[in-house]
Amino acid sequence: MGREIVIVGAGVIGLDTALLLAERGHGSHITVVAEHLPGDTSINYTSPWAGANFSAISGGDTNALRWDKLGYESMMKLAEERGVEACIAKTQSLEYWDKMPPRTKIDSMAGYLRDFKILPPSEIPAGCQFGISFTTITVNAPRYIQYLHNLLKDKYGVTFIRQKLSKISAAFSSPSTRIVFNCTGNGARVLEGVQDAKSYPTRGQILLTKAPQISKNVMRHGEDYETYIIPRPQSNGNVILGGFMQKGVSTGDTFSSESESILQRTTALLPELVEGGMEVLAAFSGLRPSREGGARVERTDIQLDGTKSRTLVHNYGAGGTGFQAGLGMAQDAIRTVENELSKLSLKGSRL
Ligand SMILES: Cc1cc2nc3c(=O)[nH]c(=O)nc-3n(C[C@H](O)[C@H](O)[C@H](O)COP(=O)(O)OP(=O)(O)OC[C@H]3O[C@@H](n4cnc5c(N)ncnc54)[C@H](O)[C@@H]3O)c2cc1C
């Protein structure tokens, strides 16, 4: 028991996938295998470095729009039912664009975001062409993944194993394993049996600050930059300032010139940051697991040493949206194996 479902990866994508499976009664069938677990920090583990919020930073293709909508609805429910324990909060958000965003993107968001409003020109900063206001979700990223880790272990009986796999087929090492979910983020570029050449990192540097007077989320989308201010829930007044979207850059170093750029842009966007007093606590950098064409949420069959084929579901490449879209991506990933899951449930109920 316990290895019928193996999830490779304990970032937000693996944990969100485990959560939805566990809520359907599969907790005791699941083992999560990962090189890094919540509580760890590494440049090869993106989730602890995220802002994090729900925003319009995501792509405009059909999949991205659907995952955002599903993710927003699920995260909103989580915020309302378990916001304090999960370290997620409903927060007012203002987003501005230097150039008009695509109409399809705005129409999609207008259809489900709570309190959605297009701002009049008088309420938009100089140099911006468009702005919206809505209720967003803000997430304390390191604490949210820690919350999921504890919940999955303690309430649902999910097993966690720290292990680095050299090839994806190693996830099927137990004869009882029926389904493997590949949630390896940037690891998908190098993991034997996956080696996805479309995967690439998008580096971001952020500042962790203390500015308890800030309670709203503000973002400005430029052609070649993103500026954002995200109050961090359950953190005693911490605020994340960003940022950068550096395609193909993979250093985990931080740079003082980038910190200065972040401070200059965020204080210009939201002067209350300095007016109310702000302390810079630390600079971090992280690598968003991006992918040409968008995230890969796809079922494939894998042939192992001449035996019959097994089921492998890929769920990686969330880029800058793993927290906002993760529960949506997990729903799609799980939908591809409904048939196999129903057999597991029957087997489990007879034991
Ligand atoms: C600066 C910054 C700001 C961000 N802000 C936001 C935001 O505001 N909102 C938002 O939604 N998203 C945001 N993101 C993006 C978000 O952090 C990512 O989309 C998300 O963390 C990706 O999660 P993941 O589970 O795919 O990858 P990861 O968190 O990297 O997890 C991958 C897991 O796979 C494991 N793994 C990999 N290879 C192997 C192997 N061979 N064997 C065993 N285990 C393996 C790792 O150890 C790890 O457990 C931000 C990211 C950055 C860097």
Side-chain angles (χ1 to χ4, degrees), residues 8-15 33-37 43-55 57 163-167 183-188 190-191 202-206 228 230 244 284-289 315-326:
V8 189
V12 70
I13 299 297
L15 297 169
V33 178
E35 183 183 7
H36 301 100
L37 298 170
I43 193 60
N44 296 318
Y45 188 29
T46 306
S47 296
W49 308 120
N53 66 6
F54 178 99
S55 79
I57 207 169
Q163 188 187 356
K164 179 174 183 173
L165 302 184
S166 58
K167 48 187 180 181
C183 306
T184 50
N186 282 313
V190 289
L191 181 60
T202 301
R203 180 181 171 277
Q205 181 162 318
I206 52 172
Y228 50 87
I230 306 174
F244 287 88
F284 302 121
S285 79
L287 307 179
R288 302 171 181 90
N315 188 8
Y316 64 85
T321 68
F323 285 82
Q324 71 181 55

Side-chain angles (χ1 to χ4, degrees), residues 177-197:
T177 300
R178 297 282 163 265
I179 309 166
V180 169
F181 288 89
N182 168 28
C183 306
T184 50
N186 282 313
R189 262 183 324 145
V190 289
L191 181 60
E192 191 183 320
V194 183
Q195 287 160 320
D196 187 340

Side-chain angles (χ1 to χ4, degrees), residues 188-226:
R189 262 183 324 145
V190 289
L191 181 60
E192 191 183 320
V194 183
Q195 287 160 320
D196 187 340
K198 291 183 180 168
S199 293
Y200 63 92
T202 301
R203 180 181 171 277
Q205 181 162 318
I206 52 172
L207 295 178
L208 176 69
T209 67
K210 195 163 191 73
Q213 72 277 19
I214 303 300
S215 57
K216 67 185 171 203
N217 183 95
V218 188
M219 297 195 69
R220 180 166 175 169
H221 308 282
E223 217 160 347
D224 56 1
Y225 71 89
E226 290 286 343

